[in-house]
Amino acid sequence: MTATELNEAPNLAALYLKAVASTPTRRGGNELPDTEYVRRGITVDRDHLAEYNRVCGFGMRDELPPTYPHILSFGAAVRLMTDPGFPFPLVGLVHVANTITQRRPLLVTETLTQRVHLANLRPHPKGRQFDIVTETDADGETVWTESSTYLRRGKPDESAAKSERTATIEAGSPTATWRLPGDLGRRYAAVSGDRNPIHLHPLTAKAFGFPRAIAHGMWSKARCLAVFEGRLPETYTAEVSFAKPVLLPSTVEFTERDTGQDSSGRENHGQNRDFALHSRSGKPHLRGSVR
C-alpha cells in the first residue's frame, strides 16, 4: 500500500466540485486504489466540537464522542473516492453500514494521527460494496478504528451474501421520540463537511430521487450513541446498518434494550445494547448494537 502524507485536511468544497465534474467519466472497475492517506498532528477545535455536540445531542466532556473522529477523517475519505483510480462516481454512493471500535476514550487534548484507505471491494445483492477503513492513533497507539461500507448500485448479484442485521429490535414501545427539523441536514453538513445535496434542500434531494431532504446516516448513529453517553464501557464496538432514509422534517422513534450478554455469550448486563431507529409508521431507519 502506498502511503501519502497530508499536511492538512483536504478542501471538501473543491473535492465535491471535482466529483460532479468527473461523474460522467467514471467507467467502473474491479480494483480499488491502494493509496493510504496519512495525516499527523491533528488537534481538536473546541468550538467546532461544541457545535458538533449540540447538533448530535452529546454533552461537553473531556472525552471525544465516539463518532467525532469520523468527522476528522472525512476529508481524506472523500479524497480517496475522488482520486483518478477510484472506479465509481462519488455521487450516487449509498452509505449502508458503519462499525466503530474504541479501545479507550480519546481525550479532547490529545494530538492524533489518522490513516485512511479503501478495502474489500465485493459483490452486493444490489451491486457492489466496499469499505473505507480509518485508524486513529494517539501516543503511538491505535485506539480508534472505523469501517464505513458504501454501496454502488448496479447489476444485482444473486451470489452475494445478504448482510446480517446488527440488531433485531422491532418497532413499538420506543425509549424516546425525536422531532427532526427540516434544516437538520444543513446543520449537520456545516459541522461534518458532508454537503451531499441529498441532505441540504428538498429541491436538490428531488434531483436524486428523494421526495425531501434526508438526514445523514452518521448523524443518526451519533444521535443514537449520545443516548448512551456516560454508560459506555472504555472498550467497545458500535455497529450500525442503515435501512430506509430519514426524511426531513420527520418524527422518529428510538428504542434500546439490554442484551444481557457479551459477544461470547457471557452474562454482562448493562454494557451490551441493541438499538434501533424507526419511523412513526414502523419503518426501520437504523439498527445497531454496542458490544
Side-chain angles (χ1 to χ4, degrees), residues 40-242:
R40 307 179 193 278
I42 302 170
T43 56
V44 174
D45 182 320
R46 290 178 180 269
D47 290 338
H48 179 267
L49 175 62
E51 184 59 27
Y52 176 85
N53 288 341
R54 279 192 288 271
V55 172
C56 297
F58 293 103
M60 287 301 296
R61 299 162 59 92
D62 293 334
E63 300 171 1
L64 291 178
T67 48
Y68 191 74
H70 171 89
I71 302 300
L72 299 176
S73 65
F74 184 69
V78 174
R79 180 163 173 179
L80 281 170
M81 292 187 288
T82 53
D83 281 348
F86 185 68
F88 310 121
L90 178 64
V91 177
L93 291 177
V94 181
H95 194 184
V96 294
N98 178 272
T99 300
I100 289 172
T101 296
Q102 179 172 288
R103 295 180 173 86
R104 69 160 174 82
L106 284 166
L107 301 179
V108 176
T109 54
E110 291 189 280
T111 300
L112 309 175
T113 295
Q114 290 192 311
R115 301 184 299 276
V116 187
H117 69 273
L118 302 163
N120 199 16
L121 180 61
R122 59 200 185 276
H124 183 278
K126 295 182 179 180
R128 284 186 290 175
Q129 60 186 334
F130 64 92
D131 301 325
I132 299 177
V133 179
T134 303
E135 297 179 339
T136 299
D137 293 0
D139 293 326
E141 174 191 13
T142 300
V143 296
W144 185 97
T145 59
E146 176 189 47
S147 178
S148 283
T149 302
Y150 287 84
L151 165 67
R152 171 60 178 172
R153 294 186 185 274
K155 183 179 178 181
D157 190 330
E158 300 301 329
S159 68
K162 293 186 177 181
S163 299
E164 294 292 331
R165 292 177 176 175
T166 56
T168 57
I169 293 178
E170 300 301 329
S173 302
T175 309
T177 300
W178 301 327
R179 294 180 175 86
L180 310 185
D183 68 346
L184 177 60
R186 295 189 291 276
R187 292 176 60 205
Y188 184 78
V191 296
S192 69
D194 185 352
R195 298 184 183 277
N196 188 320
I198 63 176
H199 303 300
L200 302 181
H201 192 275
L203 291 179
T204 54
K206 285 180 181 179
F208 292 91
F210 296 97
R212 303 196 299 274
I214 66 173
H216 295 73
M218 287 304 293
W219 175 86
S220 299
K221 179 171 184 174
R223 184 64 187 90
C224 290
L225 291 182
V227 174
F228 303 118
E229 194 168 33
R231 294 190 285 149
L232 293 171
E234 289 198 351
T235 301
Y236 61 89
T237 293
E239 181 179 8
V240 300
S241 60
F242 303 112

Side-chain angles (χ1 to χ4, degrees), residues 272-289:
N272 295 284
R273 316 290 297 179
D274 286 344
F275 58 92
L277 202 62
H278 291 90
S279 68
R280 296 294 292 272
S281 64
K283 294 179 180 179
H285 294 303
L286 173 153
R287 293 183 175 93
S289 65

